[in-house]
Amino acid sequence: MHTLKTLLRKYMQGRLNGEELDALRQQVDTMSDQELRSHLGQLWMETSETAAIPEALKQQMLDSINQRIQAQSTRHNPSQPAKDNGQGSEAATQKPKAKVHRIKRMLRIAAVFLCILVGTAMWFNSRVERPKLSGEVMAAIQRAEQSGKNQAVVTIDGQPVSVSSEEAIAKAQAVNTHHSTTASQERTVTTHHDSEFWMTLEDGTRVHLNYGTQLTYPIHFSGDTREVELQGEAYFFVAKDKSRPFIVHTPNGDVRQYGTEFNINTRDEIGATRVVLVNGSIGITPRGGAESMMRPNDMAILQPGEPEPVISQVDIMPYIAWNTGTFMFDDCTLEQLMRVLGHWYNKRVEFNDDAIREMRFTGEIDKYESILPTMKAIHKVTGLRIEVRGKEIIISE
């Protein structure tokens, strides 16, 4: 048996066959106008055609649609007391006509939703351009999920909930909204020291959080800007919206995008924030300073308390390779290398000789490879003895 939601969705898409249309008419005949609008409203909020539209805007539009339909119903069906003219048999013959009229009117309600749905989706999608992810990025997302590394904690009204997918965040959010009348409009997602997380914001912007990272964002972007707060490292694929710039607030300043793709890392050893621009255009504003524009392949360093950023052209790959499943190191010390891997594999690293901490390393490591093959590869390059004992990695000559 077809559910009402399925039948309504197919009706709004113009894909009902004769049998399904009869089934829809039968179900529609048993409900009031208000019940039908409720079902259509739920479908409106969930359908893929309006997925890119902010929830708050969808709700406003839904309220407007209901007001329009209610006004039409009042105009075409004014409330009048029934007249008893004593002609019971004639009144009875009018019932089938009234029933047919009612079904047609209620299906017209669905048609109103259809017209507005199509027009709204076309308007909104022409204004907002969602980012297109490359095959390499899509493969990295799949590997993150398959490896069990796609893990985070979302904090909703002070309550932490462990999640492993965007769907899990949506479910946790729906449960909270259902049980709370004072639900906060802000969420915080935090990754563990040995995990990462891929997520999509309301406007379609894709964000890849590296390990040990925290992102605070609103459920709905309102006003003339889209603003989030970052502690840690994240890669942003920003949805283009000329009317609402995307702003990332960091401890050392703000990053304002003008349609672009970039990486931000606030975990520098000296407390600095590093911003690497992959493509597009961004402006960076240090605390207490003026905005400076960046070009693709620029790296900007924002120092605590410094009003001027340091901007230079760099090879961006070592800074962004983590986003597609690779740790890339360029002449870094073994200590720096093992700090990253220790976090990723959730191990404590111990050096038996301080001198080996300063050994230099250049190369690439597959993030999703298990720990033993990775340690063997480093042993092969450095000639050092590397042992994995429970929660420890012990390195010696």
Side-chain angles (χ1 to χ4, degrees):
M1 181 179 177
H2 298 291
T3 65
L4 178 60
K5 183 183 289 188
T6 300
L7 292 171
L8 285 172
R9 180 179 285 112
K10 294 184 73 172
Y11 177 78
M12 293 171 75
Q13 296 170 341
R15 297 192 298 112
L16 279 182
N17 59 34
E19 181 183 345
E20 290 168 336
L21 183 59
D22 288 340
L24 176 60
R25 284 171 175 160
Q26 290 176 11
Q27 294 196 47
V28 163
D29 186 48
T30 63
M31 65 179 64
S32 65
D33 287 14
Q34 184 176 358
E35 288 174 320
L36 178 62
R37 289 201 303 271
S38 176
H39 284 290
L40 287 167
Q42 184 179 5
L43 191 60
W44 165 272
M45 299 298 284
E46 294 176 354
T47 185
S48 60
E49 284 85 349
T50 62
I53 304 175
E55 296 294 322
L57 179 56
K58 282 198 286 189
Q59 186 60 56
Q60 292 174 7
M61 298 181 70
L62 177 60
D63 294 341
S64 175
I65 293 170
N66 281 325
Q67 290 173 6
R68 185 185 307 183
I69 292 172
Q70 199 160 8
Q72 288 178 350
S73 297
T74 303
R75 186 167 63 251
H76 294 301
N77 300 280
S79 177
Q80 295 179 348
K83 294 182 180 179
D84 184 2
N85 57 9
Q87 299 175 352
S89 58
E90 183 179 344
T93 60
Q94 296 299 316
K95 287 184 179 179
K97 290 184 179 180
K99 179 178 178 181
V100 171
H101 174 74
R102 180 171 176 275
I103 291 173
K104 287 183 177 179
R105 180 169 57 82
M106 296 185 79
L107 289 178
R108 280 200 298 272
I109 292 175
V112 170
F113 272 82
L114 171 62
C115 293
I116 297 177
L117 171 67
V118 173
T120 299
M122 290 178 64
W123 168 79
F124 193 84
N125 289 329
S126 67
R127 188 172 71 94
V128 178
E129 182 182 338
R130 289 193 161 204
K132 295 179 176 61
L133 304 186
S134 68
E136 186 180 28
V137 170
M138 294 303 295
I141 295 174
Q142 188 174 22
R143 292 190 71 194
E145 294 172 346
Q146 292 173 345
S147 68
K149 286 289 189 178
N150 199 60
Q151 301 280 341
V153 173
V154 58
T155 302
I156 303 176
D157 290 338
Q159 298 298 315
V161 180
S162 295
V163 294
S164 59
S165 66
E166 291 185 285
E167 291 75 15
I169 290 182
K171 288 179 181 178
Q173 191 165 289
V175 170
N176 177 75
T177 303
H178 178 73
H179 291 291
S180 174
T181 57
T182 58
S184 170
Q185 294 301 300
E186 194 171 78
R187 300 287 181 262
T188 298
V189 172
T190 306
T191 53
H192 305 289
H193 289 296
D194 60 345
S195 68
E196 61 189 333
F197 195 71
W198 287 89
M199 61 184 295
T200 306
L201 302 180
E202 178 209 25
D203 65 334
T205 292
R206 298 296 296 267
V207 187
H208 184 191
L209 306 181
N210 206 348
Y211 62 83
T213 295
Q214 179 175 292
L215 182 74
T216 300
Y217 63 97
I219 302 175
H220 310 300
F221 288 117
S222 58
D224 298 328
T225 60
R226 299 167 288 164
E227 302 185 40
V228 301
E229 296 180 17
L230 177 70
Q231 288 269 10
E233 183 171 19
Y235 194 103
F236 293 84
F237 300 86
V238 180
K240 294 181 181 179
D241 185 343
K242 294 179 180 179
S243 64
R244 297 185 303 165
F246 191 92
I247 301 172
V248 182
H249 299 289
T250 77
N252 294 313
D254 301 334
V255 178
R256 184 185 184 99
Q257 72 78 36
Y258 298 88
T260 191
E261 191 176 317
F262 56 92
N263 190 84
I264 300 177
N265 187 352
T266 70
R267 288 197 301 249
D268 191 273
E269 294 177 21
I270 58 174
T273 295
R274 294 177 184 267
V275 181
V276 175
L277 177 59
V278 180
N279 60 55
S281 176
I282 59 176
I284 52 172
T285 307
R287 293 276 177 260
E291 184 180 55
S292 299
M293 299 304 296
M294 292 178 62
R295 299 173 299 166
N297 299 322
D298 272 354
M299 179 174 72
I301 301 177
L302 286 70
Q303 301 275 14
E306 293 291 333
E308 294 289 335
V310 177
I311 301 177
S312 59
Q313 284 270 298
V314 297
D315 174 8
I316 65 174
M317 285 310 298
Y319 301 97
I320 67 171
W322 71 271
N323 183 57
T324 50
T326 302
F327 287 130
M328 184 177 289
F329 303 95
D330 183 16
D331 196 35
C332 75
T333 65
L334 186 60
E335 183 175 29
Q336 292 171 324
L337 166 74
M338 294 310 300
R339 184 183 297 118
V340 171
L341 297 183
H343 278 302
W344 187 244
Y345 291 112
N346 195 24
K347 305 289 184 185
R348 188 173 67 85
V349 180
E350 180 181 322
F351 292 91
N352 283 351
D353 185 343
D354 284 344
I356 61 179
R357 295 173 182 266
E358 298 304 316
M359 290 183 66
R360 315 303 289 189
F361 183 90
T362 297
E364 300 179 13
I365 294 175
D366 186 341
K367 282 172 56 177
Y368 303 113
E369 185 66 83
S370 60
I371 187 169
L372 291 180
T374 299
M375 294 302 108
K376 285 181 180 178
I378 297 173
H379 159 73
K380 202 169 185 178
V381 172
T382 62
L384 297 172
R385 183 179 180 183
I386 304 177
E387 299 177 83
V388 179
R389 300 179 187 171
K391 299 293 284 184
E392 290 187 330
I393 301 174
I394 302 170
I395 303 177
S396 57
E397 289 190 286

